[in-house]
């Protein structure tokens, strides 16, 4: 397991230690659980495909085969001069 250091004010440290005592775990366990919960709830960043879909530019080329990106037959001879 990796280690990180976080600076907190006196009040937060006391609250953290009190919660850890109440739960019977270490302060590190409380922080780890809080971080895991936070990371589960955050919204993932969109990838390029998600952005292109949102912008409506997927499949926007006219007159090309519908399977252009998925059918290897369309790549035959590509890059040969």
């Amino acid at each position: 397991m990796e280690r990180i250091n976080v600076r907190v004010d006196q009040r937060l440290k006391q609250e953290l230690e009190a919660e850890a005592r109440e739960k019977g775990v270490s302060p590190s366990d409380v922080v780890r659980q809080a971080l895991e919960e936070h990371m589960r709830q955050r919204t993932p960043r969109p990838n390029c495909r998600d952005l292109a879909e949102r912008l409506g530019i997927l499949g926007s080329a006219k007159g090309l085969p519908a399977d252009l990106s998925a059918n290897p037959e369309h790549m035959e001879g590509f890059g040969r001069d």
Side-chain angles (χ1 to χ4, degrees):
M1 196 170 294
E2 297 289 324
R3 177 182 293 226
I4 63 171
N5 294 316
V6 179
R7 294 186 184 273
V8 297
D9 62 27
Q10 183 69 22
R11 178 198 55 80
L12 184 56
K13 182 179 182 230
Q14 290 172 345
E15 290 179 15
L16 172 62
E17 290 170 341
E19 182 170 339
R21 274 191 307 277
E22 289 172 14
K23 291 182 172 184
V25 298
S26 70
S28 290
D29 288 332
V30 174
V31 171
R32 201 170 11 261
Q33 291 169 0
L35 278 172
E36 287 175 357
E37 180 65 25
H38 170 77
M39 298 306 285
R40 272 194 300 275
Q41 291 181 2
R42 72 185 183 101
T43 304
R45 295 175 69 181
N47 59 34
C48 290
R49 186 188 187 290
D50 295 337
L51 293 172
E53 189 170 19
R54 188 180 324 150
L55 293 171
I57 60 175
L58 287 182
S60 61
K62 305 289 185 219
L64 297 175
D67 63 348
L68 184 62
S69 67
N71 189 336
E73 291 178 9
H74 300 299
M75 294 301 291
E76 285 181 21
F78 180 77
R80 294 188 199 137
D81 286 12

